């Protein structure tokens, strides 16, 4: 498949949509998405799936501002899937799958394009149906709040050109995780390390300062979060905060906390989300741990009060200007 034809084939697929269009890629550039959307009318339902990791945004291989394009379309939604690697494009009953992200370099629209592949596939194949189900069930939907939070996190982590030169794109495995095997469903993951400040001790390989139990639980949590190596502690906290809001259960609770909630209301939701079918799940302990994590890694986003001996947790309204 020639480089020029690759982009043309994707455009042809997108323009053929009569009802819905799925765009799934870990890396999406604004200019590329804008070129595709010019060929798609506003009455088409668009579901766009990507991932947002601060180092990838800072390096320029993916753009946060795709949100500004999609939010203006009445039937478009943008979703984040933290561990997304697939490239999948579907217009109604036709789809392309392969290696190409939504970037000019991948689609053959730049002078130094990649060698990529997109091949036709049948979306009614069981494996693709299962893929779509898993994709939708394990993602979070983007809004202005998530967009602004991520933009702020990227600026805090990589504020200058010198910091950009230190961005790690291909993350090496942290030494303490080399022999750690973690089989976790991100849809039901909640943090388990009781003291969130200990997570940086695990990350920085300070095993002697932790109990054996805290060390093992910390490694498990760290493996899920997939943090790039060599961050100083302040940057580590910012990065973890940006990841937490992309975890499905934490995002559901974050949405609930727009209005103040007592301890019982959140544990009830946790039982529904994470405890279903798990007899060992302790919702009260899980929420106590999560409160500590949210206050530690996202201190400006949440507040805790104890009026009349009852804990009330809430999300602090974020002050930002909506971009045009």
């Amino acid at each position: 498949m020639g480089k020029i034809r690759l982009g043309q084939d994707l455009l042809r697929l997108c323009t053929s949509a009569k009802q819905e269009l799925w765009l799934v890629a870990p890396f999406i550039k604004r200019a590329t998405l804008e070129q595709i959307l010019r060929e798609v009318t506003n009455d088409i339902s668009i579901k766009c799936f990507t991932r947002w990791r601060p180092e990838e945004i800072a390096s320029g291989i993916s753009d946060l501002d795709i949100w500004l394009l999609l939010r203006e379309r009445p039937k478009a939604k943008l979703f984040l899937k933290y561990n997304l690697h697939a490239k999948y494009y579907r217009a109604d009953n036709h789809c392309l799958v392969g290696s190409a992200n939504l970037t000019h370099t991948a689609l053959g629209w730049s002078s130094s394009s990649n060698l990529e592949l997109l091949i036709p596939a049948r979306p009614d194949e069981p494996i693709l149906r299962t893929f779509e189900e898993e994709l939708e069930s394990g993602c979070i939907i983007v809004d202005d709040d998530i967009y602004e939070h991520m933009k702020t996190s990227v600026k805090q982590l990589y504020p200058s050109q010198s910091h950009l030169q230190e961005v790690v794109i291909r993350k090496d495995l942290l030494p303490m995780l080399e022999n750690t095997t973690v089989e976790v469903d991100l849809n039901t993951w909640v943090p388990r390390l009781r003291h969130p400040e200990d997570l940086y001790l695990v990350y920085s390989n300070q095993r002697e300062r932790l109990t054996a139990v805290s060390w093992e639980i910390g490694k498990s949590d760290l493996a899920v979060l997939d943090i790039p190596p060599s961050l100083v502690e302040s940057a580590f906290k910012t990065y973890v905060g940006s990841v937490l809001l992309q975890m499905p259960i934490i995002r559901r609770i974050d949405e609930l906390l727009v209005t103040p909630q007592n301890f019982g209301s959140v544990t009830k939701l946790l039982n529904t989300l994470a405890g279903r079918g798990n007899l060992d799940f302790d919702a009260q302990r899980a929420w106590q741990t999560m409160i500590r994590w949210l206050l530690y890694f996202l201190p400006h986003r949440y507040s805790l009060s104890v009026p009349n001996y009852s804990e009330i947790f809430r999300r602090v309204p974020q002050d930002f200007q909506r971009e045009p």
Side-chain angles (χ1 to χ4, degrees):
M1 182 177 292
K3 293 179 180 179
I4 300 299
R5 183 184 163 193
L6 198 69
Q8 290 176 338
D9 284 353
L10 181 57
L11 279 177
R12 190 176 300 113
L13 176 81
C14 294
T15 56
S16 73
K18 298 295 188 294
Q19 293 181 316
E20 67 174 353
L21 176 65
W22 283 46
L23 303 171
V24 182
F27 303 149
I28 303 179
K29 294 291 289 180
R30 175 172 177 152
T32 307
L33 181 62
E34 193 168 21
Q35 185 164 339
I36 289 172
L37 293 180
R38 289 195 200 105
E39 309 300 324
V40 181
T41 60
N42 281 336
D43 60 333
I44 302 299
S45 172
I46 298 175
K47 292 183 178 180
C48 184
F49 299 81
T50 191
R51 76 185 194 199
W52 281 352
R53 299 191 182 187
E55 73 277 17
E56 294 169 350
I57 301 299
S59 70
I61 60 176
S62 200
D63 291 339
L64 293 177
D65 285 355
I66 61 171
W67 166 240
L68 304 182
L69 298 176
L70 291 166
R71 75 176 183 190
E72 299 306 320
R73 288 183 163 249
K75 301 183 70 174
K77 293 182 179 180
L78 177 61
F79 302 90
L80 299 182
K81 176 76 169 176
Y82 186 65
N83 60 349
L84 179 65
H85 283 264
K87 294 85 176 175
Y88 173 84
Y89 308 103
R90 177 170 70 80
D92 301 327
N93 296 318
H94 300 87
C95 71
L96 294 170
V97 298
S99 65
N101 284 290
L102 286 183
T103 68
H104 275 40
T105 302
L107 295 178
W109 294 340
S110 72
S111 58
S112 56
S113 298
N114 298 337
L115 179 60
E116 304 277 6
L117 183 69
L118 284 177
I119 60 175
R122 291 170 53 92
D124 58 351
E125 290 287 340
I127 190 171
L128 293 182
R129 287 183 177 179
T130 300
F131 168 75
E132 286 194 4
E133 291 171 1
E134 292 184 0
L135 182 63
E136 280 199 290
S137 67
C139 61
I140 70 164
I141 189 167
V142 174
D143 57 15
D144 282 338
D145 177 77
I146 290 292
Y147 166 76
E148 292 291 339
H149 181 87
M150 181 59 68
K151 188 167 68 170
T152 299
S153 296
V154 171
K155 288 180 179 178
Q156 289 176 348
L157 285 162
Y158 309 107
S160 66
Q161 188 63 37
S162 61
H163 286 84
L164 282 175
Q165 294 171 358
E166 300 168 4
V167 171
V168 179
I169 302 302
R170 180 62 179 176
K171 297 191 288 287
D172 296 325
L173 189 67
L174 295 169
M176 78 292 301
L177 300 181
E178 287 180 352
N179 298 315
T180 301
T181 302
V182 180
E183 294 184 5
V184 175
D185 182 356
L186 292 185
N187 297 345
T188 59
W189 179 82
V190 293
R192 295 174 54 232
L193 187 63
R194 194 68 170 164
H195 301 286
E197 62 273 17
D198 288 347
L199 193 65
Y200 189 74
L201 298 180
V202 179
Y203 174 82
S204 54
N205 213 13
Q206 300 183 59
R207 185 171 187 170
E208 70 282 357
R209 298 181 59 183
L210 296 168
T211 66
V213 172
S214 293
W215 174 257
E216 292 302 323
I217 293 175
K219 286 201 301 179
S220 176
D221 282 338
L222 199 59
V224 171
L225 297 171
D226 194 17
I227 311 298
S230 305
L231 296 177
V232 298
E233 188 169 6
S234 59
F236 174 81
K237 290 176 66 175
T238 299
Y239 197 106
V240 172
S242 72
V243 173
L244 290 178
L245 290 179
Q246 298 184 56
M247 295 296 167
I249 285 183
I250 291 179
R251 180 57 177 161
R252 285 284 302 275
I253 290 175
D254 180 76
E255 293 169 344
L256 179 69
L257 293 173
V258 169
T259 56
Q261 300 292 326
N262 61 31
F263 193 90
S265 64
V266 182
T267 56
K268 182 178 179 180
L269 177 61
L270 270 175
N271 262 325
T272 301
L273 298 176
R276 186 180 302 165
N278 183 359
L279 298 179
D280 295 329
F281 183 73
D282 185 337
Q284 291 190 355
R285 182 177 179 85
W287 178 226
Q288 289 169 350
T289 299
M290 198 178 299
I291 286 175
R292 296 179 181 184
W293 276 60
L294 295 179
L295 290 175
Y296 184 75
F297 290 112
L298 294 159
H300 302 297
R301 190 174 181 86
Y302 303 101
S303 69
L304 175 66
S305 60
V306 192
N308 301 320
Y309 306 100
S310 176
E311 291 184 336
I312 302 296
F313 205 71
R314 66 187 289 265
R315 202 172 96 185
V316 177
Q318 303 298 298
D319 183 19
F320 61 84
Q321 296 288 329
R322 181 182 170 102
E323 291 193 18

